Amino acid sequence: MESEAVNRFLNPDISMMQGVGDMEVTEEENTLAIQMGHIVTAKALKSGVDAVVPTMPDPEIPVSVGQFHIVPYAMPAAQQPYVVDDPVIQARLTRVYEQEQTGELEEPNSMVVACASSVCTSEQALDVKPQSSSERIVLYVCGGGFVSSDTALLKWHYMRVSQELGQRVFVPRYHVAPAHVFPRAIHDVYTAFMYLVNQGFQAQDITVLGISAGANIALAVVELLRIQKEPEPSRIVVVAPCVDLTLSMDSWTRNHDKCVLGYIPVDNPHSMPRVYYGDVESGVDVLAMLRHPLLSPLFGRVHTGPPLQIHSGTCDALADDAVALAQHVPHAELITYPGRNHYTILR
């Protein structure tokens, strides 16, 4: 573990902003990442996720490249109570909605506002209101396997998004399991979207971008917007999406040796979907529950929603999730990257 490749892999200052896309992952680094990912999975299987989720590194990105600010946000007074078709999920959503409404939710919500130096000044970045009547923005939902919101680790990526699109990027710091189980993350991101609309942004000027587990949350939020009859974003972009929490896709086993993501079946309470869902209510068939569209967007009605672009690596454990999602959404655009896995897809 003293090799140069390992040190490079663990270096928190590595950033695509240093070359904007020209940093390639070496075969040694990729192999080490896969080994480390499988070690973490093995520890989670033995001891539970609490024992293995590391503190995410926080890359230093020069002010000359862009601005980052953390700002609070809260549920708009006009945000309506949730109404869904499943009584168990309805009860969970009602609980979190009422807790926020009465100020009883632990840990208030906040988001990162990021913008490249070519896009706006520090003062403009802090102002969570449209800079013009037609300003377009990105609502960026980080990944992290539902147990770690990678808002720090992925700084370099959402700054790159800001630079390449010429738009400000808003990144909700949603709450994660096991301390905050489903549907808290969905509520946090849904509320962030509604907050931005309440601040004056038009829904049709917002692109929702989700990474990995963040793609699941992003698609669930759009599904919830549809259910609530609220305006939907202009488009959705997902990268390495996790859209089937029954983990039934063949790529989990086919790409096991090629990807950083380890596999724990859903009948194990330490599996990613079970940790995200939390304690199972009496009489609930958890496998059937995990097929609900707010948990597994693959089984939802996203085919009637905004334009969808999907990015996926062929060696990702979630590769088949991406393909199935593209087949489910006739107007979706699927872009695949040969040889890329869940670690290398963003590099």
Side-chain angles (χ1 to χ4, degrees):
M1 297 294 286
E2 297 299 325
S3 73
E4 180 181 348
V6 175
N7 291 333
R8 183 169 178 267
F9 172 66
L10 296 176
N11 179 4
D13 293 328
I14 286 178
S15 164
M16 280 178 68
M17 292 308 301
Q18 297 169 4
V20 191
D22 63 3
M23 181 179 291
E24 291 297 323
V25 178
T26 66
E27 185 63 33
E28 184 182 7
E29 181 187 355
N30 186 44
T31 299
L32 287 165
I34 293 171
Q35 290 173 350
M36 292 176 70
H38 290 185
I39 288 170
V40 167
T41 301
K43 288 182 177 178
L45 184 60
K46 182 178 180 180
S47 307
V49 71
D50 277 334
V52 299
V53 175
T55 300
M56 291 294 104
D58 190 351
E60 288 293 332
I61 296 180
V63 174
S64 59
V65 172
Q67 302 284 338
F68 297 90
H69 297 285
I70 297 175
V71 298
Y73 71 92
M75 186 170 72
Q79 186 167 320
Q80 296 298 304
Y82 302 112
V83 180
V84 298
D85 58 1
D86 185 277
V88 173
I89 295 178
Q90 176 68 63
R92 288 189 175 212
L93 282 167
T94 298
R95 187 181 310 118
V96 72
Y97 176 89
E98 291 178 346
Q99 287 175 333
E100 170 129 2
Q101 193 176 47
T102 58
E104 297 175 19
L105 271 185
E106 297 178 7
E107 304 176 17
N109 289 321
S110 63
M111 67 173 76
V112 176
V113 183
C115 67
S117 58
S118 58
V119 175
C120 63
T121 65
S122 179
E123 291 75 18
Q124 290 172 320
L126 276 170
D127 185 10
V128 190
K129 287 185 179 297
Q131 304 297 311
S132 69
S133 60
S134 59
E135 182 185 7
R136 298 187 62 83
I137 60 171
V138 176
L139 182 67
Y140 185 114
V141 190
C142 289
F146 304 105
V147 297
S148 172
S149 179
D150 296 342
T151 53
L153 182 64
L154 289 176
K155 262 185 180 180
W156 57 268
H157 189 252
Y158 52 79
M159 183 58 75
R160 181 187 179 196
V161 169
S162 175
Q163 183 183 69
E164 294 190 350
L165 294 182
Q167 298 175 16
R168 289 193 290 170
V169 178
F170 295 79
V171 189
R173 303 169 76 201
Y174 63 85
H175 293 78
V176 298
H180 305 280
V181 298
F182 170 85
R184 178 65 191 274
I186 293 174
H187 169 78
D188 289 349
V189 177
Y190 180 95
T191 297
F193 184 91
M194 297 301 294
Y195 175 81
L196 291 170
V197 171
N198 189 65
Q199 291 297 103
F201 293 100
Q202 300 298 310
Q204 64 265 25
D205 290 330
I206 301 175
T207 294
V208 173
L209 190 160
I211 309 294
S212 187
N216 177 297
I217 295 166
L219 289 167
V221 165
V222 174
E223 174 78 358
L224 194 54
L225 287 167
R226 183 195 64 79
I227 293 170
Q228 296 290 104
K229 296 181 171 58
E230 296 287 356
E232 298 178 25
S234 63
R235 63 174 180 153
I236 311 165
V237 179
V238 294
V239 180
C242 173
V243 293
D244 175 13
L245 290 192
T246 67
L247 306 187
S248 61
M249 298 294 170
D250 289 343
S251 54
W252 277 104
T253 52
R254 185 180 71 252
N255 287 338
H256 178 267
D257 295 334
K258 305 173 188 175
C259 188
V260 297
L261 296 181
Y263 173 68
I264 302 177
V266 293
D267 59 0
N268 189 302
H270 294 317
S271 67
M272 174 185 63
R274 295 286 297 277
V275 172
Y276 177 50
Y277 186 81
D279 294 337
V280 180
E281 291 83 354
S282 176
V284 168
D285 179 342
V286 68
L287 189 60
M289 180 61 74
L290 289 173
R291 290 180 59 87
H292 191 278
L294 293 183
L295 284 153
S296 292
L298 177 62
F299 306 115
R301 302 181 189 178
V302 289
H303 60 284
T304 62
L308 173 65
Q309 186 179 78
I310 306 164
H311 297 260
S312 174
T314 58
C315 292
D316 197 329
L318 295 170
D320 288 356
D321 280 50
V323 172
L325 181 62
Q327 292 171 343
H328 183 61
V329 184
H331 61 265
E333 177 187 12
L334 175 62
I335 301 172
T336 57
Y337 301 84
R340 298 278 179 166
N341 62 29
H342 208 72
Y343 173 61
T344 57
I345 185 69
L346 293 180
R347 297 293 289 278

